[in-house]
Amino acid sequence: MTVDPVASIVVPSFCGADRLPQLLDSLAAQQEGTPPFEVIVVVDGVDDGSVALLENETRLDLRSIVFPENRGRVAALNAGFEAARGDVLIRCDDDLLPGTNYVARHVDAHRDGPGGVIGLYLNEYSNTPYAEVYGRDADERFRRDAYSAAPSVAWRYWAGNCSVTREVWETVGPYDPEYRLYGWEDVDYGYRIHATGFEIRLAPEIETPHRVAAVTTAIRARRASHSGAARRLFERKHAQSGLPNAVPGWSLWNALVRGLSRVPLNPARLAGVVDALLRFLPRGVGRKLVALSVESAALGGYRSPHSAKENF
């Protein structure tokens, strides 16, 4: 007899054949006594071998949803959550490596009632010059800032390792399909949970290793550009959210960021030049050039969302 799942894990996946095996191995290795759970993988329109891989998975209570064309992460998330049967709904991106207590801890985090729970990423970087001079340090700063932030702004950290109770999902509704480029569909959803009156908290015990995709300045700058464009959409929808100004104040550094953000170049191409130079520059100089590339790309995308879409 099939046991009804307590938790549903929704995995949006685009070209994930190389990532899914490790994720499925991790989920299949959950500790004894873990509440019953199901896994729903949404293959977003490109079958790179993912479908056969999922069809051959026998260790898990697993279902797959296969889009005939690429529809984007928001559509994948919504399809997965709508199909879920559990009372605790867990978002788990396909580049995560959950520990053996991953499901149990997400379920336990909701014992006190409906709400949202965030587990931050423990980012794992390839040994690239970008990671050495910028990526790992930026990740440590991000996590430190997140844990020191006021509980009232925890929604800003909603991302790919999070969970809600069914009551929250049914009250807040689906992810917003207007978000098509990289970023801010998560922050939008976190804010909507917060605005509806449910508590969101960061759970250090659910921190999970994450295989980082942005392993070069070029990739990181491109994503920053798309994220800047998406932020403009978020601000239009939620003007009352209280975000700090996206346009930096006046300083010598910010003047450089402002100026470079107006240069009509593909941010990834400019950042590619930085990547080529990193091996030959002092660490401090390299870090500044990466930061300048990323921050100016984000501001450029924010100021000119149409340009960010053209560079997608």
Side-chain angles (χ1 to χ4, degrees):
M1 182 176 65
T2 302
V3 178
D4 289 337
V6 172
S8 297
I9 301 174
V10 174
V11 181
S13 185
F14 176 73
C15 294
D18 290 337
R19 299 182 297 275
L20 284 168
Q22 288 180 279
L23 172 64
L24 298 178
D25 287 348
S26 296
L27 294 177
Q30 295 300 290
Q31 64 189 8
E32 186 177 354
T34 295
F37 67 95
E38 65 175 351
V39 180
I40 302 170
V41 179
V42 185
V43 179
D44 188 13
V46 176
D47 183 10
D48 59 343
S50 297
V51 174
L53 186 155
L54 295 169
E55 289 176 344
N56 291 325
E57 173 56 58
T58 59
R59 300 166 296 176
L60 296 162
D61 177 2
L62 184 146
R63 288 179 286 152
S64 60
I65 299 171
V66 182
F67 289 167
E69 71 284 322
N70 177 237
R71 294 172 54 190
R73 185 163 56 187
V74 167
L77 287 169
N78 288 339
F81 282 120
E82 288 295 338
R85 296 178 294 148
D87 190 56
V88 175
L89 308 178
I90 303 170
R91 154 88 177 275
C92 179
D93 284 358
D94 67 4
D95 51 7
L96 295 182
L97 295 171
T100 58
N101 51 14
Y102 179 80
V103 175
R105 285 183 170 175
H106 266 290
V107 172
D108 286 344
H110 294 282
R111 298 293 186 194
D112 294 334
V117 172
I118 301 168
L120 295 182
Y121 294 150
L122 291 172
N123 285 326
E124 296 182 349
Y125 287 90
S126 302
N127 289 322
T128 64
Y130 163 83
E132 179 66 24
V133 305
Y134 183 84
R136 294 189 179 97
D137 288 344
D139 180 50
E140 289 180 6
R141 290 195 302 273
F142 175 85
R143 293 171 62 252
R144 183 172 61 249
D145 291 345
Y147 285 127
S148 63
S152 60
V153 297
W155 55 268
R156 297 180 186 177
Y157 301 98
W158 200 261
N161 176 26
C162 56
S163 58
V164 294
T165 55
R166 179 165 294 279
E167 180 180 344
V168 173
W169 172 257
E170 292 177 349
T171 301
V172 176
Y175 283 75
D176 190 331
E178 283 197 58
Y179 293 91
R180 285 288 298 171
L181 293 180
Y182 173 83
W184 287 84
E185 77 282 352
D186 296 318
V187 180
D188 180 282
Y189 200 78
Y191 180 73
R192 288 163 55 204
I193 295 172
H194 167 77
T196 307
F198 293 108
E199 179 186 9
I200 295 178
R201 69 179 183 88
L202 273 65
E205 70 274 15
I206 312 179
E207 287 184 346
T208 300
H210 171 242
R211 293 162 285 174
V212 177
V215 295
T216 66
T217 311
I219 298 173
R220 183 66 183 86
R222 185 185 299 112
R223 291 189 168 199
S225 176
H226 297 165
S227 181
R231 175 177 176 146
R232 179 62 66 90
L233 174 60
F234 176 89
E235 290 182 351
R236 175 170 62 79
K237 289 176 172 291
H238 307 294
Q240 73 283 12
S241 65
L243 284 177
N245 199 329
V247 180
W250 291 104
S251 68
L252 179 57
W253 174 259
N254 288 341
L256 290 171
V257 172
R258 285 169 176 260
L260 190 57
S261 73
R262 296 186 182 278
V263 176
L265 290 174
N266 184 314
R269 185 174 303 168
L270 184 62
V273 175
V274 174
D275 281 321
L277 295 173
L278 286 180
R279 295 183 184 278
F280 309 104
L281 295 172
R283 180 185 177 92
V285 174
R287 182 185 298 114
K288 288 292 187 182
L289 285 177
V290 174
L292 182 60
S293 299
V294 172
E295 292 177 30
S296 62
L299 183 56
Y302 178 80
R303 282 174 158 166
S304 303
H306 180 70
S307 296
K309 293 177 182 179
E310 289 179 342
N311 291 329
F312 182 53

